[in-house]
Amino acid sequence: MLKRLNDPQLGREMIRKVRERAARLTERLGRAVTLMEVCGTHTMAVSGTGLRGLLSGLVELRSGPGCPVCVTPARDIEQIIAFARLSGVTVATFGDMVRVPGAQSSLERERAGGARVQIVYSPADALQLARDNPRWEVIFIGVGFETTAPLAAVSIKQAAELGLTNFSIYSVHKLVPPVMGALLGAGDLKVDGFILPGHVCAVTGSRAFAFIGEEYGIPAVVAGFTPVDILDALYVLLDLIQAGDHRVVNGYRWVVRDDGNLKAQRAITDCFYTGDAAWRGFGVVEGSGLFIRDQYAQYDATQKFAGAGPASVAGPGLATERVGKSTTTGGFGTGDFLEPRGCRCGELLRGLITPPDCALFGGKCTPASPAGPCMVSSEGACAAYYRYVTNQPRLPGVVNANSGAAGSGAGCRKVEL
Ligand code: SF4
């Protein structure tokens, strides 16, 4: 099975079929088919494999709110920095979080200034760090969606079993179905279909996304992550659009069940309750956040370090602007959330623009000097575009497409088939 999924011959044949099908649909619509890939891993895959370029002019792929680091709002970044400034505290976090810029600092800068910031690969690593260093207070930054939340839940339970007193979690875990509801409810997104995140659906089940078709009349396909998986999902999705069929189809059946992974869901609900959470670019989305239950309050960093809020995210000379909003009704307007000036990560995460539409892209914002999280994260749309789409082709026989407007294949690689 795995060999088949990575078969280049099969891939070439599928590309031909997807292009054929997309060309028919494009002719009927009088424009390119617009699809959103909701998952950051898909964003990297469609850019890294050159799929964007291969489908240039036929399929426009927009990125959505599927990068957990990117959707962590400025307020939470400031809170995390405030934790790092506490004496005796070690902040344990994933590598991408370290470089996300806050209003005046970042974890990277705090570390250079003497703060203890440790990169880990899982909540279990953070727990081990706390066990190995009983004199440290270890705060794990719980960033992620339904896929990482069960692992955080397990680490909380283990900490309780071990009687650890020096471990806690700052939970900024988020749930994908509610933000999809907010995205579609806002009414300004114009897409013909969605490629849904296979890993998230493995936990939630594909049924959790059925409302996309039922309430909004937009088809969607749950996709895996190999090039052939993605091509297969595209093929099915184009077929659904052509047929005017608005179902959500599970194209990753060997991993995703309709009802998902009940054990993982139980682990989440055992340790977390759902509440309203702020997302970068969205503001507060009802029922989209996971917060630690009172039963495990001693492992909740917000309770353990209750006085350690960010000093201020608004001050003289800050290069930030107010964006986002504080409720999910009526679109996304002015609100309480601060973003770097000129940064359009919020619109990007809502699928309204592509990275080159941001005036900072490739100039004031690069991976070496990022202005926003979408350029920092390994799953960020701007990082993917910068790395793959705007760079030279890496495959033999691949040429750069013409320059032009963003989202129309500008700077994309094109393979002559
Ligand atoms: S180019 Fe930089 S500032 Fe602009 S949207 Fe992307 S990450 Fe944000």
Side-chain angles (χ1 to χ4, degrees):
M1 170 69 91
L2 283 175
K3 196 168 172 221
R4 187 171 155 77
L5 290 178
N6 292 301
D7 184 343
Q9 196 55 42
L10 180 63
R12 228 185 316 272
E13 178 59 15
M14 290 186 75
I15 287 166
R16 191 185 62 73
K17 286 188 170 173
V18 166
R19 281 174 60 122
E20 226 173 68
R21 191 159 280 200
R24 267 207 305 278
L25 194 50
T26 299
E27 201 180 311
R28 203 192 88 197
L29 297 173
R31 58 169 173 79
V33 189
T34 308
L35 306 177
M36 173 178 271
E37 85 275 355
V38 178
C39 172
T41 311
H42 282 146
T43 296
M44 288 308 280
V46 296
S47 299
T49 55
L51 258 182
R52 277 186 205 282
L54 287 164
L55 299 175
S56 174
L58 299 172
V59 177
E60 184 183 328
L61 287 158
R62 295 274 168 128
S63 302
C67 160
V69 170
C70 305
V71 296
T72 301
R75 180 87 197 173
D76 283 325
I77 301 297
E78 297 304 324
Q79 176 63 70
I80 293 161
I81 289 168
F83 283 139
R85 287 177 178 167
L86 291 175
S87 145
V89 160
T90 297
V91 166
T93 187
F94 301 130
D96 288 350
M97 284 301 289
V98 172
R99 297 188 61 236
V100 174
Q104 291 169 318
S105 185
S106 65
L107 284 178
E108 191 174 47
R109 279 198 218 165
E110 294 300 319
R111 185 167 59 182
R116 270 208 300 251
V117 177
Q118 194 91 21
I119 292 173
V120 292
Y121 297 96
S122 69
D125 287 351
L127 185 74
Q128 193 58 47
L129 196 65
R131 292 182 73 179
D132 293 344
N133 300 279
R135 285 163 56 177
W136 296 4
E137 273 291 347
V138 175
I139 302 178
F140 173 66
I141 309 302
V143 185
F145 300 123
E146 288 89 339
T147 39
T148 46
L151 303 174
V154 167
S155 73
I156 288 172
K157 283 190 169 184
Q158 283 180 347
E161 278 163 25
L162 292 164
L164 274 191
T165 57
N166 65 328
F167 175 73
S168 58
I169 291 182
Y170 181 54
S171 177
V172 283
H173 291 104
K174 293 180 169 46
L175 302 172
V176 178
V179 81
M180 290 301 289
L183 183 67
L184 287 160
D188 50 3
L189 177 68
K190 304 277 178 266
V191 294
D192 300 300
F194 290 100
I195 302 167
L196 295 176
H199 291 152
V200 167
C201 292
V203 175
T204 64
S206 55
R207 219 194 305 272
F209 291 90
F211 72 94
I212 294 175
E214 289 162 4
E215 289 176 34
Y216 298 98
I218 301 176
V221 177
V222 179
F225 299 93
T226 68
V228 170
D229 279 339
I230 296 169
L231 282 165
D232 187 48
L234 284 171
Y235 188 75
V236 174
L237 195 48
L238 292 168
D239 203 26
L240 290 171
I241 298 166
Q242 181 78 295
D245 186 339
H246 301 149
R247 272 176 307 150
V248 171
V249 171
N250 182 1
Y252 199 27
R253 285 220 156 263
W254 55 98
V255 175
V256 174
R257 280 176 283 176
D258 291 352
D259 292 328
N261 183 331
L262 301 181
K263 207 170 156 192
Q265 290 170 20
R266 250 192 321 272
I268 293 174
T269 50
D270 276 356
C271 289
F272 298 103
Y273 65 92
T274 56
D276 302 347
W279 295 60
R280 193 181 288 262
F282 289 82
V284 174
V285 177
E286 208 177 306
S288 69
L290 291 174
F291 304 96
I292 297 172
R293 288 191 181 281
D294 281 349
Q295 182 189 348
Y296 297 108
Q298 61 177 312
Y299 302 108
D300 181 352
T302 59
Q303 298 204 38
K304 194 170 186 178
F305 303 96
S312 170
V313 290
L318 292 186
T320 53
E321 345 181 280
R322 288 181 183 278
V323 294
K325 71 179 198 56
S326 51
T327 69
T328 52
T329 51
F332 302 100
T334 305
D336 300 318
F337 303 97
L338 297 165
E339 302 283 1
R341 185 166 294 145
C343 170
R344 299 183 71 185
C345 285
E347 292 160 89
L348 188 76
L349 294 163
R350 302 202 307 273
L352 304 181
I353 62 165
T354 56
D357 292 327
C358 176
L360 306 188
F361 180 80
K364 286 189 176 158
C365 184
T366 63
S369 178
C374 299
M375 188 61 93
V376 177
S377 172
S378 57
E379 295 189 354
C382 294
Y385 259 73
Y386 190 90
R387 184 167 173 197
Y388 297 113
V389 181
T390 59
N391 284 345
Q392 291 299 307
R394 66 184 167 85
L395 296 173
V398 175
V399 295
N400 280 336
N402 296 332
S403 60
S408 58
C412 291
R413 294 172 306 173
K414 193 162 73 182
V415 173
E416 303 303 336
L417 294 173

